[in-house]
Amino acid sequence: MATPRDRAPLAEQVEALLAVGGPLPIVAAGDPVLRRGAERFDGQLDAALLARFVEALRVTMHAAPGVGLAAPQVGVPLRLAVIEDPAPVPEEVRLVRGRVPLPFRVLVNPSYEPAGSGRAAFFEGCLSVPGWQAVVVRPAEVRLTGQDEHGRALDEVFTGWPARIVQHETDHLDGTLYLDRAEPRSLSSNEAMAERWTQPTPEEAARALGFPLT
């Protein structure tokens, strides 16, 4: 059964969220909004409200903290996401994972496709699945198309960790969680990750837990 929030126009939903102030509450796995394809943005929010919502998403992402946040993760079924990664990692991790600083970006109506045949396997987590991480094999390079918050066309190739971030966030807009793509036997608590599997690559975890990397 749809709730009043589900039936309300998107602008009303966003206004109600922003009225509370501070970081927005993040929706956890199990909420249907995370499993429905989000509505394509087509002016449902005027420019001023869109700017306020984008800033609230940014504040919430930083507070979590995370490197990306999609609108459905705060209960708004709209094809909109924000990404940003200062990449404060050791040099060894940067080199192996291709994790480089990613400036703040707004993705509107994004979609992606593989650019090349390379694939990469690493642990991922999600703000909507707190406390857990799992290995996901993804294209190492993707072409992302869509728009920015000002309606300007986006057509860009992402590689390394930025490619993983844009795939993860765009998947949210299609009702897909990273666990849908993960190796089930790799699922690890954050505590286990900190104690055992913080190596730059998950090869040791694959041997110990018994899962493939391809």
Side-chain angles (χ1 to χ4, degrees), residues 143-167:
R143 179 186 179 191
L144 187 79
T145 56
Q147 297 87 42
D148 67 10
E149 68 272 36
H150 304 295
R152 295 176 298 217
L154 170 65
D155 188 342
E156 187 173 342
V157 173
F158 289 82
T159 61
W161 209 257
R164 184 168 295 268
I165 293 172
V166 299
Q167 290 174 77

Side-chain angles (χ1 to χ4, degrees), residues 86-109:
V89 296
E91 181 71 4
E92 180 186 17
V93 173
R94 184 188 70 79
L95 291 173
V96 172
R97 300 182 184 177
R99 187 170 178 184
V100 297
L102 178 63
F104 180 74
R105 304 283 293 274
V106 180
L107 309 180
V108 178
N109 299 328

Side-chain angles (χ1 to χ4, degrees), residues 24 37-38 50 81 112 114 116 153 156 179-180 188 204:
L24 306 174
L50 177 61
Y112 69 83
E156 187 173 342
L179 290 174
D180 300 330
S188 303
E204 188 174 332

